[in-house]
């Protein structure tokens, strides 16, 4: 009985061994993924318990809130760039301008000769082109008629005055006049342009620019002079408009020259001066005195353009307001200048 049991047991073992040696069924992928995840989790727990691994490469710095406002967690942030302030162009009425060479001509005729000299003419053309492109009204000292007005102006207002640029701007009614000069300094061509208020001859601003002469003695100086002048104009224009915008708050400026006719005592002259000034200050925004003598009152009048549209209306206001003081008559009126006699 025991022999039979032994043979049965041996047969069973052989059967089991044969089954084990047969081909294995392919593993279940889901089981493999589960086992791998368990392994990763175990590794993570071990690293958390033991601290970070000591690697040869530099350790990564801990992630903290950056003090740089343009970084978030050490990553570039999407920052809205601040848009620059929009500076609008000046939109009010622009001044009337005049461009002349910077020179102390001894005669009015000399000024026209100088401005027609090739290098001066080249710079003037460049400046005038810039101004007309910006829609300025530009006065020009051309022709015998303009020359005659200038000569008369010198005789009536200036006597021995030799600043013909100033006289020309008064004669032709420019609000502001520009004077220019050019020079060659080494390998640079330099342009200097000044702007003056006509009624007072006050300097409003200066601008100097230079361009390099890369062609040596064969350079086209005319073209270089024009280039230097054009380069200077944008900066000077900003200064002019800044003055013009601020000064318009006081009113439009007019130069008023009153010649006192007749014989008066010193006391009477004082009375005339005081009466004229006090009266004009009541009807205009502001009145400034350039010169007062026994024969002449040279004034700057700031008139409200809403009340007085032009120099003729300003003259009428002066004449009517001074009727109780003296008789006023005009001798010459231009856009910026009033020449009057008082008697």
């Amino acid at each position: 009985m025991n022999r039979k049991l032994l043979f049965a047991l041996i047969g069973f073992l052989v059967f089991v061994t044969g089954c084990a040696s047969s081909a294995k069924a392919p593993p279940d992928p889901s089981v493999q993924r589960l086992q791998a995840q368990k392994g990763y989790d175990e590794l993570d727990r071990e690293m958390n318990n033991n601290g970070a691994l000591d690697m040869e490469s530099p350790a990564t710095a801990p992630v903290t809130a950056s003090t740089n406002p343009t970084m978030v967690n050490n990553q570039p942030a999407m920052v809205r760039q601040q848009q620059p302030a929009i500076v609008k162009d000046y939109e009010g009425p622009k001044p009337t301008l005049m461009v002349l060479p910077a020179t102390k001509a001894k005669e009015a005729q000399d000024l026209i000769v100088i401005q027609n000299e090739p290098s001066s003419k080249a710079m003037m053309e460049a400046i005038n082109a810039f101004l007309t492109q910006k829609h300025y009204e530009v006065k020009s000292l051309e022709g015998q008629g303009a020359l005659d007005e200038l000569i008369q102006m010198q005789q009536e207002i200036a006597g021995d005055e030799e600043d013909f640029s100033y006289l020309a701007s008064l004669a032709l009614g420019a609000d502001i006049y520009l004077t220019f000069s050019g020079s060659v300094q080494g390998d640079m061509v330099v342009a200097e342009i000044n702007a003056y208020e006509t009624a007072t001859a006050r300097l409003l601003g200066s601008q100097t620019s230079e361009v390099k002469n890369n062609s040596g003695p064969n350079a086209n100086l005319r073209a270089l002079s024009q280039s230097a002048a054009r380069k200077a104009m944008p900066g000077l224009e900003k200064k002019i408009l800044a003055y013009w915008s601020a000064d318009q708050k006081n009113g439009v400026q007019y130069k008023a020259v009153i010649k006192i006719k007749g014989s008066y005592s010193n006391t009477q002259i004082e009375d005339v001066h005081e009466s004229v000034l006090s009266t004009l200050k009541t009807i205009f925004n502001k009145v400034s005195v350039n010169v007062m003598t026994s024969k002449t009152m040279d004034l700057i009048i700031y008139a409200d353009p809403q009340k007085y549209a032009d120099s003729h209306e300003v003259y009428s206001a002066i004449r009517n307001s001074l009727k109780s003081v003296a008789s006023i008559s005009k001798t010459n009126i231009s856009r910026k200048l009033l020449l009057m006699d008082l008697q």
Side-chain angles (χ1 to χ4, degrees), residues 30-327:
S30 63
V31 174
Q32 287 184 324
R33 287 195 296 270
L34 181 61
Q35 291 175 341
Q37 184 63 46
K38 288 181 179 180
Y40 293 144
D41 293 341
E42 185 66 26
L43 180 60
D44 286 340
R45 285 192 294 273
E46 183 178 351
M47 291 182 66
N48 289 333
N49 292 332
N50 297 332
L53 294 178
D54 185 15
M55 307 294 289
E56 290 184 358
S57 61
T60 304
V63 177
T64 59
S66 173
T67 58
N68 186 341
T70 63
M71 300 288 287
V72 178
N73 293 335
N74 287 346
Q75 297 297 324
M78 296 298 293
V79 180
R80 184 184 297 274
Q81 294 185 355
Q82 184 177 1
Q83 296 296 325
I86 299 176
V87 180
K88 294 183 178 181
D89 292 336
Y90 175 75
E91 296 179 349
K94 290 185 175 181
T96 300
L97 305 178
M98 187 170 188
V99 181
L100 293 164
T103 180
K104 289 291 185 178
K106 294 182 179 180
E107 299 291 342
Q109 183 68 47
D110 295 342
L111 188 62
I112 294 181
V113 173
I114 293 171
Q115 77 175 19
N116 288 328
E117 188 271 329
S119 60
S120 294
K121 189 174 182 179
M123 293 187 69
M124 182 182 292
E125 288 174 352
I127 298 170
N128 284 339
F130 175 90
L131 295 175
T132 52
Q133 187 178 17
K134 291 298 188 77
H135 307 293
Y136 288 93
E137 180 183 354
V138 181
K139 297 290 185 178
S140 177
L141 184 62
E142 294 181 355
Q144 188 61 41
L147 181 59
D148 291 342
E149 287 187 44
L150 178 56
I151 294 173
Q152 182 180 1
M153 189 69 62
Q154 183 192 24
Q155 294 172 345
E156 292 182 346
I157 188 176
D160 58 354
E161 173 66 60
E162 292 185 358
D163 188 353
F164 288 101
S165 299
Y166 165 66
L167 294 176
S169 62
L170 279 175
L172 301 182
D175 296 304
I176 296 170
Y177 65 96
L178 280 60
T179 64
F180 64 88
S181 63
S183 62
V184 178
Q185 301 177 11
D187 61 349
M188 307 300 292
V189 176
V190 181
E192 180 178 355
I193 309 175
N194 300 317
Y196 299 88
E197 198 282 319
T198 294
T200 62
R202 174 165 57 107
L203 177 65
L204 306 179
S206 299
Q207 196 76 21
T208 301
S209 66
E210 55 185 24
V211 295
K212 189 170 184 179
N213 175 11
N214 295 314
S215 302
N218 297 322
N220 185 342
L221 292 180
R222 174 186 172 89
L224 291 173
S225 298
Q226 291 181 321
S227 178
R230 284 192 296 267
K231 186 177 177 182
M233 283 306 299
L236 185 60
E237 184 194 21
K238 291 180 181 178
K239 297 175 184 178
I240 291 173
L241 291 180
Y243 146 78
W244 184 253
S245 177
D247 220 43
Q248 289 297 289
K249 298 175 183 178
N250 292 325
V252 178
Q253 293 184 24
Y254 297 92
K255 183 180 180 68
V257 179
I258 302 174
K259 291 186 177 181
I260 302 174
K261 301 292 185 177
S263 298
Y264 300 93
S265 66
N266 291 337
T267 302
Q268 290 174 322
I269 291 295
E270 292 285 346
D271 292 340
V272 169
H273 288 171
E274 291 180 5
S275 297
V276 170
L277 283 178
S278 61
T279 301
L280 296 185
K281 286 180 179 180
T282 61
I283 62 174
F284 297 117
N285 293 351
K286 181 181 176 182
V287 178
S288 300
V289 177
N290 290 331
V291 177
M292 281 203 307
T293 70
S294 62
K295 296 295 183 182
T296 303
M297 297 181 68
D298 188 335
L299 311 173
I300 302 298
I301 292 174
Y302 296 79
D304 185 347
Q306 301 300 321
K307 296 181 179 179
Y308 312 103
D310 54 30
S311 57
H312 293 278
E313 292 189 7
V314 171
Y315 165 72
S316 294
I318 294 173
R319 182 172 179 272
N320 292 329
S321 66
L322 293 177
K323 280 183 176 180
S324 61
V325 177
S327 174

